[in-house]
Amino acid sequence: MADPIDRLRTLQGADLPVHGGRTLAYVYDSGDPEIDRIAQEAVAAYAASNALDPTAFPSLLRMENELVGFACGLLDAPDTAVGTVTSGGTESILLAVQGARDSRPDVLRPRMVLPATAHAAFHKAAHYFGVEAVLVPVGPDHRADAAAMAAAIDDDTVLVVASAPSYAHGVVDPVTEIAAAAASRGIRCHVDACIGGWVLPYAVRLGRPVVPWTFAVDGVTSISVDTHKYAYAPKGTSLLLHRDAGLRSPQFFASAAWPGYTMLNATTQSTRSGGPIAGTWAVVEHIGDAGYVELAERAFAAVDAIVACIASEPALRLVVAPDSTLVTLATDDSLDPFTLTDELVSRGWYVQPQLSFGDDGPSIHLSVSAGTLPLVDEFAAALTASVATAQAAGPVAVDAGVVAFIEALDPAALTDDDFDGLLAASGLVGASADGDLELPTRMAEVNAMLDVASPAMREALLKAFLDRLQRPVRPS
Ligand SMILES: Cc1ncc(COP(=O)(O)O)c(C=O)c1O
């Protein structure tokens, strides 16, 4: 019998590297192999443990409470604050929205006021929980417009949201003004610090300018912060903190309405693997406050170096100066951003393309972590070479017939035949002999095609694509 771990390693060869500092989205790399070893051992030791019942697995309860306690220090939480470990940023946000909705049973058509740049997880929460997302355009600096958000609040508003920072542009919203507007109407204010919550407090301690966004701001009622991002913990944990236990209470769920054990849950999950909790606890315990200062210093040094690289390339510009560790860049007319992305990827640097949205053209997102610092010269060289090659190649053009095909489709009623027709017309994605989709190695044409589609059409096309990807592979 072949060792399945060998097969696993072979399969994993197709994935992006999670270590090495060159993957600038999806993963966060401390650059310290000892941190990875500790995480792996702790995850393995607790992979079968179940945080469903804190009395059966008290060690997990203890770890969870210690993690929330550490976060209380970072987030200027008052003595009344409480928190929960969730499975990720999206789950923390879902629970913040669900809790806000259920705290106001008197509101029949609940609404939440979001800056247009708020994470897509809020749209998912709107979809799941029937809370209308009221989107408020952001200012020219990509930060939320606090006055416009205040004006958008009405009697049905159950939640107001700010980001610290936003994912797409990496800037922190004016939390003080937004939270004040919410508080003056007695409405909850959630700060989505999923990506910034573990690094911005250290930015402040390093003397970098950051506007206030924590529980130190009056009116902030809850904050989400993902440990599986800048706490450099293994995937599968985020924290959701509330200013007091009363604000958290609608999040809890119990059911004794069946003959089995009384179900008692703090999150959307019931069985919860102990692996991510223990892995996160062990990493935070090992790194500690002083370690995070150093890691933040390294991440920000890498950010500053990358910002300088961008400034030295005439065809590139920052979309906005970063407030945190996220860098968003755009290209001038001489350079196609999607081709530039492919060129960087082909040189071993994974960067993430962002499609045009509203008045903003396409851009490229970089989540910079500490592990990238030793490689910034290599990044600069790869960027210069990629810009030159992409300029020489010229922009990718979407065939007029394909544009017409997309424009004629109805996103609300996209059929399998429509999707097959688009695949055939574009010639971008082939099918192998066994019917599997074969993904193109270069994505510029796919991104250019999606870029001309409306947001609703992008969603429909990508859902059809996912449906084709998720097909059973039966044992041969
Ligand atoms: C600001 C922000 N909120 C929410 C999320 C969602 O987090 P997750 O992917 O862990 O669900 C992210 C992810 O990058 C984020 O950057």
Side-chain angles (χ1 to χ4, degrees):
M1 249 313 236
D3 183 348
I5 301 299
D6 291 340
R7 171 101 203 284
L8 204 116
R9 294 288 176 215
T10 308
L11 288 172
Q12 206 171 23
D15 297 350
L16 286 174
V18 296
H19 303 299
R22 291 180 186 80
T23 305
L24 302 181
Y26 305 120
V27 302
Y28 306 82
D29 185 9
S30 67
D32 181 350
E34 180 61 4
I35 294 173
D36 304 328
R37 183 194 67 77
I38 288 168
Q40 280 173 17
E41 276 192 29
V43 170
Y46 271 85
S49 303
N50 194 343
L52 165 59
D53 183 345
T55 64
F57 294 90
S59 67
L60 288 170
L61 175 66
R62 176 76 197 188
M63 287 186 253
E64 182 161 2
N65 285 339
E66 288 191 18
L67 281 170
V68 172
F70 191 103
C72 281
L74 288 182
L75 306 180
D76 305 314
D79 291 345
T80 51
V82 292
T84 309
V85 176
T86 74
S87 63
T90 298
E91 191 183 20
S92 291
I93 288 168
L94 289 175
L95 291 170
V97 174
Q98 173 264 325
R101 182 196 67 175
D102 292 347
S103 70
R104 294 291 308 276
D106 55 309
V107 178
L108 296 182
R109 287 191 184 76
R111 309 168 92 215
M112 59 181 158
V113 174
L114 309 175
T117 48
H119 194 274
F122 290 97
H123 297 272
K124 189 175 194 176
H127 178 65
Y128 279 12
F129 300 129
V131 177
E132 184 194 345
V134 178
L135 290 181
V136 179
V138 297
D141 60 356
H142 303 279
R143 293 178 177 83
D145 178 339
M149 288 185 66
I153 296 173
D154 68 12
D155 291 345
D156 291 334
T157 306
V158 297
L159 185 68
V160 178
V161 169
S163 309
S166 60
Y167 182 84
H169 302 106
V171 291
V172 179
D173 288 331
V175 175
T176 303
E177 293 78 0
I178 293 169
S184 71
R185 306 279 298 257
I187 295 166
R188 292 180 178 219
C189 173
H190 180 77
V191 176
D192 174 11
C194 282
I195 203 160
W198 215 273
V199 74
L200 286 172
Y202 294 105
V204 173
R205 280 160 64 177
L206 291 167
R208 299 178 78 94
V210 182
V211 299
W213 60 273
T214 63
F215 285 111
V217 176
D218 285 343
V220 170
T221 54
S222 59
I223 299 179
S224 48
V225 49
D226 295 356
T227 25
H228 66 192
K229 293 191 171 83
Y230 284 98
Y232 298 108
K235 287 289 181 250
T237 58
S238 163
L239 306 180
L240 174 61
L241 275 80
H242 286 94
R243 189 179 277 281
D244 62 50
L247 289 160
R248 180 176 64 176
S249 70
Q251 176 189 318
F252 286 175
F253 179 80
S255 179
W258 73 308
Y261 59 88
T262 299
M263 192 194 236
L264 176 62
N265 300 148
T267 70
T268 60
Q269 292 182 309
S270 194
T271 281
R272 268 196 304 159
S273 171
I277 298 172
T280 301
W281 178 86
V283 165
V284 172
E285 179 81 359
H286 172 74
I287 298 176
D289 194 55
Y292 282 115
V293 175
E294 273 174 42
L295 286 167
E297 199 164 15
R298 294 171 72 73
F300 284 113
V303 167
D304 292 344
I306 287 172
V307 165
C309 297
I310 293 165
S312 70
E313 295 290 343
L316 300 180
R317 66 178 168 82
L318 286 176
V319 171
V320 55
D323 282 346
S324 185
T325 48
L326 314 179
V327 178
T328 310
L329 61 106
T331 58
D332 72 10
D333 290 345
S334 71
L335 181 58
D336 174 49
F338 302 131
T339 308
L340 176 64
T341 301
D342 281 352
E343 288 301 324
L344 280 162
V345 171
S346 75
R347 288 171 177 77
W349 286 92
Y350 183 81
V351 298
Q352 190 179 53
Q354 300 188 134
L355 302 177
S356 312
F357 189 78
D359 295 335
D360 296 329
S363 57
I364 301 177
H365 170 103
L366 281 59
S367 290
V368 180
S369 48
T372 300
L373 182 62
L375 305 166
V376 288
D377 290 342
E378 193 195 296
F379 177 79
L383 189 65
T384 303
S386 298
V387 167
T389 318
Q391 276 177 324
V396 285
V398 186
D399 183 87
V402 173
V403 176
F405 194 101
I406 293 174
E407 278 169 359
L409 294 174
D410 174 3
L414 189 79
T415 64
D416 280 350
D417 285 350
D418 292 337
F419 190 65
D420 287 338
L422 182 64
L423 289 186
S426 66
L428 291 176
V429 183
S432 66
D434 53 8
D436 282 352
L437 286 186
E438 278 184 356
L439 304 178
T441 46
R442 294 181 69 86
M443 295 299 289
E445 284 81 1
V446 175
N447 285 321
M449 189 176 81
L450 289 171
D451 205 56
V452 298
S454 66
M457 197 63 215
R458 291 171 190 167
E459 292 163 0
L461 288 173
L462 289 171
K463 283 196 276 188
F465 178 59
L466 183 60
D467 173 67
R468 303 305 168 88
L469 291 178
Q470 291 207 324
R471 291 295 160 99
V473 178
R474 296 169 194 261
S476 47

